[in-house]
Amino acid sequence: MSDLQTERDAPTAGGVLRYVLAPDEALRLALPAYGRVRVGADVANDIVLRAGGVEAAHAYLHVDDYGIQIEALAQGVRLHRDGAWTDVALEQPVDLELGDRVAVGEAVLSFHTAEASSVRTRVWSHEALFVGARLREIFALVDRLAQTTAPVLVLGETGTGKNVVARRIHERSPRRAGPFVVANSQELDGGHHRDALEELLGRAAGGTLVLDEVSALPPLAQLGLGRFLERLESDSNAPDVRIVATTNRDLDVDRETHSFRLDLLFRLNRASVRLPALRDAPDDLPALARWLLDRLAPAPVALSEGALAALQRYRWPGNVRQLESALERALLVCDGDTLEAHHLPVEVRQGRSRDPSGSASNLTLKEEVAALEKRRIIEALEAHPSQAAAARALGMPLRTFVTRMDAYEIPRARSANKDEEE
């Protein structure tokens, strides 16, 4: 009998979701809109199976807009369709249809759709993150590049997830069974950078070597790295290593100011992935914030409209890393099952941030006043049982209060007391 377990239940959004069913468990698990779900006996998997014959990491489920695929990582994955069982070949993804059954060892899974409210889901890894169209396009590009051997340059501000992308390139590549080695600029700097590179290549042989923040390398180290990469390309006896470099600076600008070598840039930038700042991908923030809450909270926690509005107003100079930190701090003072705006750090609630260049917000004074008024109205509505009570708390006539709500597109309560209209 299979034993499919999850870390915990988590709320899902409205709509129809695809889900995987473990028949013996009467448990349905919502699949992400996009991403990769690992299945196996090890507790680090997204879906943990305790049935006989299940390996530590036995299969991947690949999920996107086009459907679901099963990829076998070990023998013993079988597909039931049209009344017959067939073996799934290793590392050759197979398209699944709704209603299909898949045996992973002795555990049997099937795939269906249902209303989101009726599906129990779990906390997914970053691979299975619900994202907006912009990041989905980036992930699709990353997955295509993963199948090549070309060096990849990953660009993005601090906290945008460059190392996450580098790891995804490795894990989606034919080298995923090999080592994944990250080297920072300090390891490549100094008088013995050639010896350091030789050691790193030996550690990363058969896998991926990530050169983290290469823009921080001084000129001498850049020269040595460029020559070393040239030898790596031309020497048939050199270790077989995939190179991925990351930077938080625009190397084209650095090249023009002669602070980064042109020949090294050409060697590293055979292909590139540019990650947007969080403030430039507003459609991704709600799903990202809810995913982080699922991962950080010990029990399911919802995100109120007021809290979400505050998160969307803030410019997040530290990007995803700063968002994660802010939510972690908010959870420390949240004593219920809903995270409200007043739980957020004061700088987020008040919208005080600077962009990475150090300049202040580019909002006009009128826009800043409107943002402050909208936030105070939302917070008052969250703190009081009626619109009338919220208006009184702000010292605002009810008619003016309701007019402001309409102007800021703040939803009214579905049912209101009569005294609110007086």
Side-chain angles (χ1 to χ4, degrees), residues 29-102:
L29 295 173
L31 290 171
Y34 177 90
R36 184 177 69 178
V37 178
R38 193 171 66 183
V39 181
D42 192 276
V43 293
N45 291 296
D46 295 303
I47 297 179
V48 182
L49 298 171
R50 299 299 190 189
V54 179
E55 302 291 338
H58 209 134
Y60 281 129
L61 297 175
H62 300 288
V63 189
D64 58 25
D65 290 337
Y66 299 100
I68 307 169
Q69 291 183 318
I70 181 78
E71 177 184 1
L73 304 178
Q75 300 288 350
V77 179
R78 294 171 297 145
L79 171 64
H80 187 273
R81 182 182 295 168
D82 298 330
W85 287 97
T86 57
D87 290 332
V88 176
L90 291 177
E91 299 183 355
Q92 295 184 22
V94 174
D95 291 331
L96 296 178
E97 299 174 1
L98 295 178
D100 278 349
R101 287 189 292 163
V102 171

Coordinates of all heavy atoms in Angstrom, one line a residue, residues 29-102:
L29 N -3.3 16.0 -4.3 CA -2.3 17.0 -4.2 C -2.3 17.9 -5.4 O -2.1 17.4 -6.5 CB -0.9 16.4 -4.0 CG -0.7 15.6 -2.7 CD1 0.7 14.9 -2.8 CD2 -0.8 16.5 -1.5
A30 N -2.5 19.2 -5.3 CA -2.5 20.1 -6.4 C -1.2 20.2 -7.0 O -0.2 20.3 -6.3 CB -3.0 21.5 -5.9
L31 N -1.1 20.1 -8.3 CA 0.1 20.3 -9.1 C 0.3 21.8 -9.3 O -0.7 22.6 -9.5 CB 0.1 19.6 -10.4 CG 0.2 18.0 -10.3 CD1 -0.1 17.4 -11.6 CD2 1.6 17.6 -9.7
P32 N 1.5 22.3 -9.4 CA 1.8 23.7 -9.7 C 1.3 24.0 -11.2 O 1.2 23.1 -12.0 CB 3.3 23.9 -9.5 CG 3.8 22.5 -9.9 CD 2.8 21.5 -9.3
A33 N 1.2 25.3 -11.5 CA 0.9 25.7 -12.8 C 2.0 25.5 -13.7 O 1.9 25.3 -14.9 CB 0.4 27.2 -12.8
Y34 N 3.2 25.6 -13.2 CA 4.4 25.4 -14.0 C 5.6 24.9 -13.1 O 5.7 25.4 -11.9 CB 4.8 26.8 -14.5 CG 6.1 26.8 -15.3 CD1 6.1 26.5 -16.7 CD2 7.3 27.1 -14.7 CE1 7.3 26.5 -17.4 CE2 8.5 27.1 -15.5 CZ 8.5 26.8 -16.8 OH 9.6 26.8 -17.5
G35 N 6.4 24.0 -13.5 CA 7.5 23.6 -12.7 C 7.8 22.1 -12.8 O 7.2 21.4 -13.6
R36 N 8.7 21.7 -11.9 CA 9.1 20.3 -11.9 C 8.8 19.8 -10.5 O 9.2 20.4 -9.5 CB 10.6 20.2 -12.2 CG 11.0 18.7 -12.3 CD 12.5 18.7 -12.8 NE 13.4 19.2 -11.8 CZ 14.7 19.2 -11.9 NH1 15.2 18.8 -13.0 NH2 15.5 19.7 -10.9
V37 N 8.2 18.6 -10.4 CA 7.9 18.0 -9.1 C 8.7 16.6 -9.0 O 8.5 15.8 -9.9 CB 6.4 17.7 -9.0 CG1 6.0 17.1 -7.7 CG2 5.6 19.1 -9.1
R38 N 9.5 16.5 -8.0 CA 10.2 15.2 -7.9 C 9.5 14.2 -7.0 O 8.9 14.6 -5.9 CB 11.6 15.5 -7.3 CG 12.6 14.4 -7.4 CD 14.0 14.7 -7.0 NE 14.1 15.1 -5.6 CZ 15.2 15.5 -5.0 NH1 16.3 15.7 -5.8 NH2 15.2 15.8 -3.7
V39 N 9.5 13.0 -7.4 CA 8.8 11.9 -6.7 C 9.8 10.8 -6.3 O 10.6 10.4 -7.1 CB 7.7 11.3 -7.7 CG1 7.0 10.2 -6.9 CG2 6.8 12.4 -8.2
G40 N 9.7 10.4 -5.0 CA 10.6 9.3 -4.6 C 10.4 9.0 -3.1 O 9.5 9.6 -2.5
A41 N 11.3 8.2 -2.6 CA 11.2 7.8 -1.2 C 11.8 8.8 -0.2 O 11.5 8.8 1.0 CB 11.8 6.4 -1.0
D42 N 12.8 9.6 -0.7 CA 13.5 10.5 0.2 C 12.6 11.6 0.6 O 11.8 12.1 -0.2 CB 14.7 11.0 -0.5 CG 15.7 11.8 0.4 OD1 15.4 13.0 0.7 OD2 16.6 11.1 0.9
V43 N 12.7 12.1 1.9 CA 11.9 13.1 2.4 C 12.1 14.5 1.7 O 11.3 15.4 1.9 CB 12.1 13.3 3.9 CG1 11.6 12.1 4.7 CG2 13.5 13.6 4.3
A44 N 13.2 14.6 1.0 CA 13.5 15.9 0.3 C 12.7 16.0 -1.0 O 12.6 17.1 -1.6 CB 15.0 16.0 0.0
N45 N 12.0 15.0 -1.4 CA 11.2 15.0 -2.6 C 9.9 15.9 -2.4 O 9.5 16.1 -1.3 CB 10.7 13.6 -3.1 CG 11.9 12.8 -3.6 OD1 12.5 13.2 -4.6 ND2 12.2 11.7 -2.8
D46 N 9.3 16.3 -3.5 CA 8.1 17.1 -3.4 C 6.9 16.1 -3.1 O 6.0 16.5 -2.4 CB 7.8 17.8 -4.8 CG 8.8 18.9 -5.0 OD1 9.0 19.8 -4.2 OD2 9.5 18.8 -6.1
I47 N 6.9 14.9 -3.7 CA 6.0 13.9 -3.3 C 6.7 12.7 -2.8 O 7.6 12.2 -3.5 CB 5.1 13.5 -4.6 CG1 4.3 14.7 -5.1 CG2 4.2 12.3 -4.2 CD1 3.4 14.4 -6.3
V48 N 6.5 12.3 -1.6 CA 7.2 11.2 -0.9 C 6.4 10.0 -0.9 O 5.3 10.0 -0.4 CB 7.6 11.7 0.6 CG1 8.4 10.6 1.2 CG2 8.3 13.0 0.6
L49 N 6.9 8.9 -1.5 CA 6.2 7.6 -1.5 C 7.0 6.6 -0.7 O 8.2 6.4 -0.8 CB 6.2 7.1 -3.0 CG 5.4 8.0 -4.0 CD1 5.7 7.5 -5.4 CD2 4.0 8.0 -3.7
R50 N 6.2 5.9 0.2 CA 6.8 4.9 1.1 C 6.5 3.5 0.6 O 6.8 2.5 1.3 CB 6.2 5.1 2.5 CG 6.5 6.5 3.1 CD 8.0 6.7 3.2 NE 8.2 7.9 4.0 CZ 9.4 8.4 4.2 NH1 10.5 7.9 3.6 NH2 9.6 9.5 4.9
A51 N 6.0 3.3 -0.6 CA 5.6 2.0 -1.0 C 6.9 1.2 -1.4 O 8.0 1.8 -1.6 CB 4.7 2.0 -2.2
G52 N 6.8 -0.1 -1.5 CA 7.9 -1.0 -1.9 C 8.4 -0.7 -3.3 O 7.6 -0.3 -4.2
G53 N 9.7 -0.8 -3.5 CA 10.3 -0.6 -4.8 C 10.5 0.8 -5.2 O 10.9 1.1 -6.4
V54 N 10.2 1.8 -4.3 CA 10.4 3.2 -4.7 C 11.8 3.6 -4.3 O 12.3 3.5 -3.2 CB 9.4 4.1 -3.9 CG1 9.6 5.6 -4.3 CG2 8.0 3.6 -4.3
E55 N 12.5 4.2 -5.3 CA 13.9 4.7 -5.1 C 13.9 6.0 -4.4 O 12.8 6.7 -4.4 CB 14.7 4.7 -6.4 CG 14.7 3.4 -7.1 CD 15.6 2.4 -6.4 OE1 16.5 2.8 -5.6 OE2 15.4 1.2 -6.7
A56 N 15.1 6.5 -3.9 CA 15.2 7.8 -3.2 C 14.7 8.9 -4.1 O 13.9 9.7 -3.6 CB 16.6 8.0 -2.8
A57 N 15.1 9.0 -5.3 CA 14.6 9.9 -6.3 C 14.2 9.1 -7.5 O 15.1 8.7 -8.3 CB 15.6 11.0 -6.6
H58 N 12.9 8.9 -7.7 CA 12.5 7.9 -8.7 C 11.9 8.5 -10.0 O 12.1 7.9 -11.1 CB 11.4 7.0 -8.1 CG 11.4 5.6 -8.6 ND1 11.3 4.5 -7.9 CD2 11.4 5.2 -9.9 CE1 11.3 3.4 -8.6 NE2 11.4 3.8 -9.9
A59 N 11.3 9.7 -9.9 CA 10.7 10.3 -11.2 C 10.5 11.8 -11.0 O 10.5 12.3 -9.9 CB 9.4 9.6 -11.5
Y60 N 10.4 12.4 -12.1 CA 10.0 13.8 -12.2 C 8.7 14.0 -12.9 O 8.4 13.2 -13.9 CB 11.0 14.7 -13.0 CG 12.3 15.0 -12.3 CD1 13.5 14.8 -12.9 CD2 12.3 15.7 -11.0 CE1 14.7 15.2 -12.2 CE2 13.4 16.0 -10.4 CZ 14.6 15.8 -11.0 OH 15.8 16.1 -10.3
L61 N 7.9 14.9 -12.4 CA 6.7 15.3 -13.1 C 7.0 16.7 -13.6 O 7.3 17.6 -12.8 CB 5.4 15.4 -12.2 CG 5.0 14.0 -11.6 CD1 3.8 14.3 -10.7 CD2 4.5 13.1 -12.7
H62 N 6.9 16.9 -14.9 CA 7.2 18.2 -15.6 C 5.8 18.8 -15.9 O 5.0 18.2 -16.6 CB 8.0 18.1 -16.8 CG 9.4 17.5 -16.6 ND1 10.4 18.2 -15.9 CD2 9.9 16.3 -16.9 CE1 11.5 17.5 -15.8 NE2 11.2 16.3 -16.4
V63 N 5.5 20.0 -15.4 CA 4.2 20.6 -15.5 C 4.3 22.0 -16.2 O 5.2 22.8 -15.8 CB 3.5 20.8 -14.2 CG1 2.1 21.2 -14.3 CG2 3.6 19.5 -13.3
D64 N 3.5 22.2 -17.2 CA 3.5 23.5 -17.9 C 2.1 23.7 -18.5 O 1.2 23.0 -18.3 CB 4.6 23.7 -18.9 CG 4.6 22.7 -20.0 OD1 3.5 22.1 -20.3 OD2 5.7 22.4 -20.6
D65 N 2.0 24.8 -19.3 CA 0.8 25.1 -19.9 C 0.3 24.0 -20.9 O -0.9 23.9 -21.2 CB 0.9 26.4 -20.7 CG 1.0 27.6 -19.8 OD1 0.6 27.5 -18.6 OD2 1.5 28.7 -20.3
Y66 N 1.2 23.2 -21.4 CA 0.9 22.2 -22.4 C 0.4 20.9 -21.8 O -0.2 20.1 -22.5 CB 2.1 22.0 -23.3 CG 2.5 23.2 -24.0 CD1 3.6 24.0 -23.6 CD2 1.8 23.7 -25.2 CE1 3.9 25.2 -24.3 CE2 2.1 24.8 -25.8 CZ 3.2 25.6 -25.4 OH 3.6 26.7 -26.0
G67 N 0.7 20.7 -20.5 CA 0.3 19.5 -19.9 C 1.3 19.0 -18.8 O 2.0 19.7 -18.3
I68 N 1.3 17.6 -18.6 CA 2.1 17.0 -17.6 C 2.9 15.9 -18.3 O 2.4 15.2 -19.2 CB 1.3 16.4 -16.5 CG1 0.3 17.4 -15.9 CG2 2.1 15.8 -15.4 CD1 -0.8 16.8 -15.0
Q69 N 4.2 15.8 -17.9 CA 5.1 14.7 -18.4 C 5.6 13.9 -17.2 O 5.9 14.5 -16.2 CB 6.2 15.2 -19.3 CG 5.8 15.8 -20.6 CD 7.0 16.2 -21.4 OE1 7.9 16.8 -20.9 NE2 7.0 15.9 -22.7
I70 N 5.8 12.6 -17.4 CA 6.5 11.8 -16.4 C 7.9 11.5 -17.0 O 8.0 11.1 -18.1 CB 5.7 10.5 -16.1 CG1 6.4 9.7 -15.0 CG2 5.4 9.7 -17.3 CD1 6.3 10.2 -13.6
E71 N 8.9 11.7 -16.1 CA 10.3 11.3 -16.5 C 10.8 10.3 -15.5 O 10.9 10.6 -14.3 CB 11.2 12.5 -16.6 CG 12.6 12.2 -17.0 CD 13.6 13.4 -16.9 OE1 13.1 14.5 -16.7 OE2 14.8 13.2 -17.2
A72 N 11.2 9.1 -15.9 CA 11.7 8.1 -15.0 C 13.2 8.4 -14.7 O 14.0 8.5 -15.7 CB 11.5 6.7 -15.6
L73 N 13.6 8.4 -13.5 CA 15.0 8.5 -13.0 C 15.5 7.2 -12.6 O 16.8 7.1 -12.4 CB 15.1 9.5 -11.9 CG 14.5 10.9 -12.1 CD1 14.7 11.8 -10.9 CD2 15.2 11.6 -13.3
A74 N 14.7 6.2 -12.5 CA 15.1 4.8 -12.1 C 14.1 3.9 -12.7 O 13.0 4.2 -13.2 CB 15.1 4.7 -10.6
Q75 N 14.6 2.6 -12.8 CA 13.7 1.6 -13.3 C 12.5 1.4 -12.4 O 12.5 1.7 -11.3 CB 14.5 0.2 -13.4 CG 15.7 0.3 -14.3 CD 15.4 0.3 -15.8 OE1 14.2 0.2 -16.2 NE2 16.4 0.6 -16.6
G76 N 11.4 0.9 -13.0 CA 10.2 0.6 -12.2 C 9.1 1.6 -12.3 O 8.2 1.7 -11.5
V77 N 9.2 2.5 -13.4 CA 8.1 3.5 -13.6 C 7.3 2.9 -14.8 O 7.8 2.7 -15.9 CB 8.6 4.9 -14.0 CG1 7.5 5.8 -14.3 CG2 9.5 5.4 -12.8
R78 N 6.0 2.7 -14.6 CA 5.1 2.1 -15.7 C 3.9 3.0 -15.9 O 3.4 3.6 -14.9 CB 4.7 0.7 -15.3 CG 5.9 -0.3 -15.2 CD 5.4 -1.6 -14.6 NE 5.0 -1.4 -13.2 CZ 4.0 -2.1 -12.7 NH1 3.3 -3.0 -13.4 NH2 3.7 -1.9 -11.4
L79 N 3.4 3.0 -17.1 CA 2.2 3.8 -17.5 C 1.1 2.9 -17.9 O 1.3 2.0 -18.7 CB 2.6 4.8 -18.6 CG 1.4 5.5 -19.3 CD1 0.8 6.5 -18.3 CD2 1.9 6.3 -20.5
H80 N -0.1 3.2 -17.3 CA -1.3 2.4 -17.6 C -2.2 3.2 -18.5 O -2.7 4.3 -18.1 CB -2.0 2.0 -16.4 CG -3.2 1.0 -16.7 ND1 -4.4 1.5 -17.0 CD2 -3.2 -0.4 -16.7 CE1 -5.2 0.4 -17.2 NE2 -4.5 -0.7 -17.0
R81 N -2.4 2.8 -19.7 CA -3.3 3.5 -20.7 C -3.9 2.5 -21.6 O -3.2 1.5 -22.0 CB -2.5 4.6 -21.4 CG -3.4 5.4 -22.4 CD -2.5 6.4 -23.1 NE -1.9 7.4 -22.2 CZ -1.0 8.2 -22.6 NH1 -0.5 8.2 -23.8 NH2 -0.5 9.1 -21.7
D82 N -5.2 2.7 -22.0 CA -5.8 1.8 -22.9 C -5.8 0.3 -22.4 O -5.6 -0.6 -23.2 CB -5.3 1.9 -24.3 CG -5.4 3.3 -24.9 OD1 -6.4 4.0 -24.5 OD2 -4.5 3.7 -25.6
G83 N -5.9 0.1 -21.1 CA -6.0 -1.2 -20.6 C -4.7 -2.0 -20.5 O -4.7 -3.2 -20.2
A84 N -3.6 -1.3 -20.7 CA -2.3 -2.1 -20.7 C -1.2 -1.2 -20.0 O -1.2 0.0 -20.0 CB -1.8 -2.4 -22.1
W85 N -0.3 -1.9 -19.3 CA 0.8 -1.3 -18.6 C 2.1 -1.3 -19.6 O 2.3 -2.4 -20.2 CB 1.2 -2.0 -17.3 CG 0.2 -1.8 -16.2 CD1 -0.8 -2.6 -15.8 CD2 0.2 -0.7 -15.3 NE1 -1.5 -2.1 -14.8 CE2 -0.9 -0.9 -14.4 CE3 1.0 0.5 -15.2 CZ2 -1.2 0.0 -13.4 CZ3 0.7 1.4 -14.2 CH2 -0.4 1.1 -13.3
T86 N 2.8 -0.2 -19.7 CA 4.0 -0.2 -20.4 C 5.1 0.5 -19.6 O 4.8 1.4 -18.8 CB 3.8 0.6 -21.7 OG1 3.4 2.0 -21.4 CG2 2.8 0.0 -22.7
D87 N 6.3 0.1 -19.8 CA 7.5 0.7 -19.1 C 7.8 2.0 -19.6 O 7.7 2.3 -20.8 CB 8.7 -0.2 -19.2 CG 8.5 -1.5 -18.4 OD1 7.8 -1.5 -17.4 OD2 9.2 -2.6 -18.8
V88 N 8.2 2.9 -18.7 CA 8.6 4.3 -19.1 C 10.2 4.2 -19.1 O 10.8 4.0 -18.1 CB 8.1 5.4 -18.1 CG1 8.7 6.7 -18.5 CG2 6.6 5.4 -18.1
A89 N 10.7 4.5 -20.3 CA 12.2 4.5 -20.5 C 12.8 5.6 -19.6 O 12.3 6.6 -19.4 CB 12.6 4.7 -21.9
L90 N 14.1 5.3 -19.2 CA 14.8 6.2 -18.3 C 15.1 7.6 -19.1 O 15.5 7.6 -20.3 CB 16.1 5.6 -17.9 CG 16.1 4.5 -16.9 CD1 17.5 3.9 -16.7 CD2 15.4 4.9 -15.6
E91 N 14.8 8.7 -18.4 CA 15.2 10.0 -18.8 C 14.6 10.4 -20.2 O 15.2 11.1 -21.0 CB 16.7 10.2 -18.8 CG 17.3 10.1 -17.4 CD 18.8 10.3 -17.4 OE1 19.4 10.5 -18.5 OE2 19.4 10.3 -16.3
Q92 N 13.4 9.8 -20.5 CA 12.7 10.1 -21.7 C 11.3 10.5 -21.4 O 10.4 9.7 -21.2 CB 12.7 9.0 -22.7 CG 14.1 8.6 -23.2 CD 14.1 7.5 -24.3 OE1 13.1 7.2 -24.9 NE2 15.2 6.8 -24.4
P93 N 11.0 11.8 -21.1 CA 9.7 12.3 -20.6 C 8.6 11.8 -21.6 O 8.7 11.8 -22.8 CB 9.8 13.8 -20.6 CG 11.3 14.0 -20.5 CD 12.0 12.9 -21.2
V94 N 7.5 11.4 -20.9 CA 6.3 10.9 -21.7 C 5.1 11.7 -21.3 O 4.9 12.0 -20.1 CB 6.0 9.4 -21.3 CG1 4.7 8.9 -21.9 CG2 7.2 8.5 -21.7
D95 N 4.4 12.2 -22.3 CA 3.2 13.0 -22.0 C 2.1 12.2 -21.3 O 1.9 11.0 -21.7 CB 2.6 13.5 -23.3 CG 3.5 14.5 -24.0 OD1 4.2 15.2 -23.3 OD2 3.5 14.6 -25.2
L96 N 1.5 12.8 -20.3 CA 0.4 12.1 -19.6 C -0.9 12.7 -20.0 O -1.0 13.9 -20.4 CB 0.6 12.3 -18.1 CG 1.8 11.6 -17.5 CD1 1.9 11.9 -16.0 CD2 1.8 10.1 -17.8
E97 N -2.0 11.9 -19.9 CA -3.3 12.4 -20.2 C -4.1 12.3 -18.9 O -3.8 11.5 -18.0 CB -4.0 11.6 -21.2 CG -3.3 11.6 -22.6 CD -3.9 10.7 -23.6 OE1 -4.9 10.0 -23.2 OE2 -3.4 10.6 -24.7
L98 N -5.1 13.2 -18.7 CA -6.0 13.1 -17.5 C -6.6 11.7 -17.4 O -7.1 11.2 -18.4 CB -7.1 14.2 -17.6 CG -6.5 15.6 -17.5 CD1 -7.7 16.6 -17.6 CD2 -5.8 15.9 -16.2
G99 N -6.5 11.1 -16.2 CA -7.0 9.8 -16.0 C -6.0 8.7 -16.1 O -6.2 7.6 -15.7
D100 N -4.8 9.1 -16.6 CA -3.7 8.1 -16.7 C -3.3 7.6 -15.3 O -3.4 8.4 -14.3 CB -2.5 8.7 -17.4 CG -2.6 8.6 -18.9 OD1 -3.5 7.9 -19.4 OD2 -1.7 9.3 -19.6
R101 N -2.8 6.4 -15.2 CA -2.2 5.9 -14.0 C -0.8 5.6 -14.2 O -0.4 5.1 -15.3 CB -3.0 4.6 -13.5 CG -4.4 4.9 -12.9 CD -4.9 3.6 -12.3 NE -5.2 2.6 -13.3 CZ -5.4 1.3 -13.0 NH1 -5.3 0.9 -11.8 NH2 -5.7 0.5 -14.0
V102 N 0.0 6.0 -13.2 CA 1.5 5.7 -13.3 C 1.9 5.0 -12.0 O 1.6 5.3 -10.9 CB 2.2 7.1 -13.4 CG1 3.7 6.8 -13.2 CG2 2.0 7.8 -14.7

